[in-house]
Amino acid sequence: MSSHADITGLLVDWGNGDQAALDKLLPLVERELHRLAHSYMRREDRDHTLQTTALINETYLRLVDQKKVHWQNRAHFFGIAAQIMRRILLNYARDQNRLKRGGHAIHVSLSHANVMPAEKNRELISLNDALNRLEAIDERKSKVVELRYFGGLSVEEVAEVLKISPVTVMRDWQFAKAWLQRELQDGR
Amino acid sequence: MVDKSLEYIENIFHVAITLKAAERASYLAEACGDDVIARQEVESLVSAYEEGDGLLNENAVTLGMRVLGSVAEESITGKEIGSYKILGFLGKGGMGEVYLAEDPVLNRKVALKFLSAEFIEDSWAKRQLIKEAQAVAMLEHPNICAVYGFEEVDEYSFIVMQYVEGRTLAELIRTKGIPIDEVVPLAQQIVSAVAEAHAHGIIHRDIKPKNIMVTAGGQAKVLDFGLAKTIQKKATFDEPTESISQLSKAGLLVGTIAYMSPEQLRGERLDYRSDIFSLGTLLYEMISGKNPFARDSDAETISQVLTHSPPPLRASGRNISPELARVAHHCLEKNKEDRYSAASELLYDLDNSEVNNTKTA
């Protein structure tokens, strides 16, 4: 069972450098995000507003005991969400592509099959590939992109997660964007 | 590890992007000297930087949430939960999801009612599920789907129920209609089930065709006591019910307004006579094929229930007895004082041979 206390403890452990804690956290956070996203999709049918960064924050507030964590843990939590988002989006994009080619989509429920345009599918797949290549050259830069793009983290939050200065985050971000843009152009 | 030359390129890059084109050329010439490869590398990155201004500007969180929300929740079909093997999905309603499962010990099929994923950790929803199980466990009746138990395994809480194979009354009405000579026998079974619940102090509160299962042999089973309320036996009324907005927030109102009594729609205290009204809508629909109050919008439907008398059943074109029409309309009186005061009274009138006598004027 995933209790409030477990998740809080795991988050603190991971913040203190325990990598094994991350493996346990990922599925717990994903389940909660999934549940929340579902109820929001239902609400969204009515009012068409989806405050998504707020949504991750809501997940955080629901799962983690605020009295027992530092503000830094929130950034770490968002870091986990970023990893989950990246994987979810990629799985989805690949599934959609497979579906286009006549295969079977495993993860897709057909009632909402069109949440992402086909162009975006291809874009995400190329971006992910480019990001993997960047990781091979400079892991930290690819992490900066993952956190900012897939997790919506601010420069300061990224700095906290990666234990680097905000200036470095900004420099990494600018360079990574140029590098990725060039990769994506070449790939066309 | 960061490549040494990458760091070198990076440093030049960061200076170059702050410079205007003319200054940049002379800066690069100076910084790179005769390292042509480095210079080309920086130049291509700087031009990509300028072209790629819009790249990654909007984060993918919204998209991710949208996809996450649309991706089917992990199905439990095929899983083993406790000793049960989940065979398939049966249906969804309110806060619950019902799955067909096999009990390998007793070697029979059962229906398991779980809370929907979004309610799994909602303690109110879980209490409701337990209440439902407790309410139905008190009842023993051939026309009420039996509860075998309540179990908690890992994060799952569920009711173990009798599996009833058949079609819902809603399906039967929609697809082929109810033959007129089957209306009264079905109504008798349903009303007798509701009378049993009332005898135990339970108001069903959600009687509608979707919640009645009919087997191939014509046996009716009342399902889903998810909204049932137990009232003290001596008291004749219930505490004020949840308001419409509370119920609709919990997703419990969908499609049910047209079967609710006027007092239920007004959020007043309910007694057994609210179920009588709902039974009236059921009877009316079995006969005429149509719910007497349902309209395109909720607002219109509510207004129909509250203030409009249903069109006379004798004008429905079906050959029914005047007595049967009278019985149905008597259930549908707006004012609860004017209805049957108990399901047993209604049952008594349905057992009267006059309901089948289409000859009398």
Side-chain angles (χ1 to χ4, degrees):
Chain A
M1 278 288 323
S2 60
S3 76
H4 223 57
D6 290 343
I7 292 181
T8 309
L10 286 169
L11 195 59
V12 171
D13 289 349
W14 183 48
N16 292 334
D18 177 1
Q19 286 306 306
L22 178 62
D23 296 335
K24 292 185 199 139
L25 269 172
L26 277 167
L28 299 178
V29 175
E30 178 167 348
R31 204 175 60 189
E32 187 63 20
L33 279 173
H34 205 151
R35 188 175 303 158
L36 214 56
H38 264 271
S39 67
Y40 269 76
M41 283 292 281
R42 213 164 292 165
R43 277 181 253 172
E44 196 200 8
D45 287 341
R46 263 172 264 158
D47 57 18
H48 287 278
T49 49
L50 194 65
Q51 295 289 331
T52 45
T53 317
L55 232 154
I56 298 183
N57 198 44
E58 194 178 323
T59 312
Y60 174 68
L61 294 175
R62 279 172 62 114
L63 288 182
V64 178
D65 183 352
Q66 304 309 307
K67 291 187 289 284
K68 301 220 172 88
V69 294
H70 302 292
W71 68 269
Q72 290 93 333
N73 291 115
R74 182 178 171 281
H76 281 93
F77 187 87
F78 272 64
I80 295 171
Q83 287 185 30
I84 293 170
M85 289 294 166
R86 180 175 175 184
R87 191 170 39 76
I88 291 284
L89 279 166
L90 202 70
N91 279 344
Y92 183 85
R94 285 179 179 151
D95 264 0
Q96 288 286 289
N97 269 7
R98 217 172 291 140
L99 193 65
K100 287 255 153 42
R101 294 198 305 265
H104 293 289
I106 305 151
H107 301 98
V108 184
S109 97
L110 289 171
S111 56
H112 294 293
N114 286 327
V115 287
M116 199 152 84
E119 194 192 337
K120 196 79 194 167
N121 287 335
R122 286 188 293 275
E123 205 180 296
L124 268 167
I125 293 171
S126 333
L127 175 67
N128 185 66
D129 291 345
L131 212 48
N132 286 339
R133 291 196 291 275
L134 178 60
E135 189 184 347
I137 306 169
D138 188 335
E139 192 184 341
R140 194 185 70 204
K141 285 186 180 55
S142 90
K143 210 70 198 160
V144 167
V145 174
E146 181 180 280
L147 292 169
R148 280 185 59 76
Y149 183 67
F150 291 103
L153 272 74
S154 70
V155 171
E156 279 181 332
E157 287 166 334
V158 174
E160 174 52 40
V161 174
L162 297 179
K163 309 249 185 289
I164 54 179
S165 75
V167 175
T168 308
V169 173
M170 210 48 223
R171 279 168 62 95
D172 278 357
W173 174 242
Q174 286 175 326
F175 186 84
K177 267 175 47 158
W179 194 91
L180 289 169
Q181 172 71 21
R182 197 180 60 181
E183 287 291 299
L184 294 176
Q185 279 167 350
D186 291 351
R188 260 181 226 154
Chain B
M1 270 331 294
V2 179
D3 197 304
K4 249 280 192 286
S5 66
L6 182 69
E7 210 178 310
Y8 163 71
I9 301 242
E10 219 185 312
N11 286 333
I12 302 175
F13 165 85
H14 282 292
V15 177
I17 56 172
T18 63
L19 301 173
K20 292 203 181 74
E23 295 164 340
R24 188 182 294 154
S26 55
Y27 166 74
L28 287 180
E30 195 186 317
C32 301
D34 49 10
D35 190 343
V36 185
I37 294 170
R39 180 167 177 169
Q40 278 173 352
E41 178 75 4
V42 176
E43 278 173 343
S44 75
L45 281 168
V46 170
S47 78
Y49 179 79
E50 283 170 346
E51 279 172 46
D53 208 23
L55 182 74
L56 308 181
N57 270 2
E58 218 173 294
N59 71 50
V61 180
T62 302
L63 200 57
M65 273 301 189
R66 224 177 268 274
V67 166
L68 203 53
S70 72
V71 169
E73 277 163 69
E74 202 190 340
S75 171
I76 57 168
T77 298
K79 272 195 184 174
E80 281 182 22
I81 295 179
S83 62
Y84 301 99
K85 184 165 169 54
I86 311 294
L87 304 174
F89 178 71
L90 289 175
K92 188 178 165 72
M95 299 175 298
E97 278 169 22
V98 183
Y99 284 83
L100 175 64
E102 188 172 84
D103 179 341
V105 182
L106 299 179
N107 195 22
R108 64 176 175 185
K109 284 180 180 159
V110 292
L112 304 183
K113 183 173 191 174
F114 297 89
L115 288 174
S116 304
E118 62 193 297
F119 290 108
I120 278 183
E121 277 172 19
D122 188 312
S123 54
W124 177 79
K126 191 174 155 188
R127 278 200 305 278
Q128 287 298 117
L129 194 69
I130 295 174
K131 274 189 194 169
E132 177 182 351
Q134 288 171 336
V136 186
M138 291 197 283
L139 311 174
E140 198 178 316
H141 192 277
N143 301 111
I144 294 175
C145 177
V147 159
Y148 300 145
F150 186 89
E151 294 194 27
E152 293 182 70
V153 178
D154 300 331
E155 74 260 46
Y156 303 104
S157 307
F158 53 94
I159 304 178
V160 187
M161 300 184 294
Q162 179 182 19
Y163 170 57
V164 181
E165 214 170 341
R167 301 171 75 186
T168 68
L169 191 58
E171 250 182 287
L172 290 174
I173 292 172
R174 199 179 54 237
T175 53
K176 51 175 198 170
I178 311 291
I180 208 71
D181 58 334
E182 287 173 23
V183 170
V184 172
L186 275 175
Q188 284 167 332
Q189 297 181 58
I190 298 163
V191 174
S192 132
V194 174
E196 162 80 4
H198 288 181
H200 287 82
I202 295 165
I203 314 177
H204 189 289
R205 303 201 301 177
D206 195 21
I207 295 167
K208 56 182 175 182
K210 257 185 82 178
N211 283 343
I212 313 285
M213 200 64 129
V214 182
T215 67
Q219 192 185 22
K221 293 264 187 191
V222 177
L223 312 172
D224 204 343
F225 281 69
L227 279 184
K229 193 109 188 168
T230 310
I231 62 177
Q232 297 203 327
K233 266 199 190 164
K234 296 236 168 84
T236 48
F237 53 78
D238 175 20
E239 66 200 58
T241 47
E242 295 83 350
S243 71
I244 291 182
S245 70
Q246 275 173 307
L247 287 174
S248 104
K249 218 167 42 192
L252 301 176
L253 256 193
V254 187
T256 70
I257 300 173
Y259 300 95
M260 286 186 176
S261 68
E263 62 269 27
Q264 194 170 8
L265 287 180
R266 284 193 297 260
E268 293 170 8
R269 293 181 166 194
L270 297 188
D271 60 25
Y272 304 125
R273 290 171 289 187
S274 179
D275 278 351
I276 301 280
F277 186 93
S278 302
L279 286 170
T281 60
L282 214 68
L283 192 50
Y284 190 103
E285 188 166 332
M286 281 198 278
I287 296 166
S288 72
K290 283 197 291 281
N291 176 287
F293 308 112
R295 297 294 182 273
D296 290 339
S297 75
D298 287 355
E300 284 174 272
T301 303
I302 289 171
S303 135
Q304 289 290 327
V305 174
L306 293 180
T307 55
H308 292 70
S309 294
L313 268 173
R314 300 214 65 202
S316 67
R318 297 198 78 177
N319 186 24
I320 60 163
S321 70
E323 174 63 5
L324 184 56
R326 185 194 68 79
V327 168
H329 283 289
H330 191 35
C331 295
L332 291 171
E333 291 289 350
K334 304 290 181 207
N335 194 343
K336 62 186 175 195
E337 278 82 26
D338 298 334
R339 292 173 214 148
Y340 289 101
S341 57
S344 52
E345 273 180 38
L346 167 58
L347 190 59
Y348 182 85
D349 275 4
L350 284 173
D351 286 342
N352 185 327
S353 60
E354 279 302 299
V355 294
N356 292 319
N357 185 357
T358 54
K359 300 289 188 294
T360 41

